[in-house]
Amino acid sequence: MERSWGPIDPLPGLLAAGADLRPATLVQAYRHGIFPWFSEGQPILWWSPDPRMVLPPSHFRMRRSLRQTLTHLRAQGNFEVRFDTQFEAVIRACAQSHRPQQQGTWITEGMIQAYVELHRMGIAHSVETWVDGQLQAGLYGVNLGRAMFGESMFTRIPDGSKLALAALVGFCLENDIKWIDCQQNTRHLASLGAHEIERQTFADWLEKVTGLAAPSWEFNSVYWDRVSRLR
């Protein structure tokens, strides 16, 4: 890695440029609260924002409309959430998802291959919303010990990605995961219950939890029971 940036530099949160996307590099970076984010043609850029945006699962806003959507889909019997059955399809759908005020995607082919390899190692995971046997929404992220790092999501149906996030929230509640890392502040994340914490607080937490045993990634309907209690 090359150039380090301080808090008063023009790109706060940018720590360095260079290195590689090998699994060992990515795992070491995530353990320290650092993640890659760059566009095609740029060097690999490594970031650790201060403050850091996190979603405490217990603060997730299970709004009435989302609760109604979940109840309706479950009653129809053609809806399910799956973990890790189509990881590559999820990350590629995230790469193709249009986002307002964003040109292109930071999920390059190199990034896709790197996270697919992390998935093969049991470190990167997908949460998938299926309707009528079709993958309609989902998200992916990285799990180290009892830390969950959210990366990106997509949807093709109303509330599809929120349902995947709700399932992830239930999973985290059941498995004692204190925060879901959201990386950077956005209005959308704040509306779901995320808030900012100091980077050092986040780093101290990672030091305590990333070395613990990771939970089993199998969907269980108890996750809906846990998240349905939230308001």
Side-chain angles (χ1 to χ4, degrees), residues 50-212:
D50 189 9
R52 188 80 169 217
M53 196 73 163
V54 297
L55 172 61
S58 61
H59 290 190
F60 178 67
R61 292 175 183 156
M62 190 68 177
R63 299 189 183 278
R64 181 181 179 184
S65 60
L66 182 58
R67 197 183 305 275
Q68 289 175 336
T69 299
L70 175 59
T71 300
H72 174 71
L73 287 173
R74 293 185 75 187
Q76 284 188 324
N78 61 345
F79 158 77
E80 62 179 318
V81 166
R82 305 176 189 173
F83 286 177
D84 288 341
T85 67
Q86 290 290 329
F87 180 88
E88 185 168 348
V90 169
I91 191 173
R92 289 192 180 278
C94 289
Q96 296 165 5
S97 181
H98 172 74
R99 306 180 198 284
Q101 300 179 334
Q102 178 177 306
Q103 298 293 326
T105 179
W106 56 271
I107 308 175
T108 64
E109 185 61 31
M111 288 279 277
I112 290 172
Q113 295 305 319
Y115 283 82
V116 166
E117 183 60 28
L118 284 183
H119 172 65
R120 293 192 185 107
M121 296 170 63
I123 296 171
H125 300 275
S126 59
V127 181
E128 308 153 8
T129 302
W130 291 76
V131 180
D132 291 327
Q134 300 294 318
L135 176 64
Q136 297 290 7
L139 61 84
Y140 77 96
V142 171
N143 172 220
L144 293 174
R146 299 288 157 159
M148 182 68 208
F149 306 85
E151 285 296 322
S152 187
M153 58 178 62
F154 83 98
T155 191
R156 299 176 180 130
I157 59 172
D159 287 338
S161 58
K162 289 181 182 178
L163 289 169
L165 179 57
L168 178 62
V169 164
F171 169 82
C172 291
L173 288 168
E174 186 71 11
N175 289 286
D176 195 29
I177 295 176
K178 180 180 178 181
W179 289 321
I180 300 171
D181 176 36
C182 301
Q183 299 177 347
Q184 301 187 67
N185 193 339
T186 70
R187 184 179 301 176
H188 176 64
L189 290 170
S191 73
L192 296 173
H195 64 82
E196 293 180 329
I197 62 173
E198 292 184 354
R199 177 169 58 193
Q200 190 59 52
T201 300
F202 183 68
D204 290 345
W205 173 70
L206 290 180
E207 187 174 359
K208 296 175 183 177
V209 302
T210 55
L212 300 176

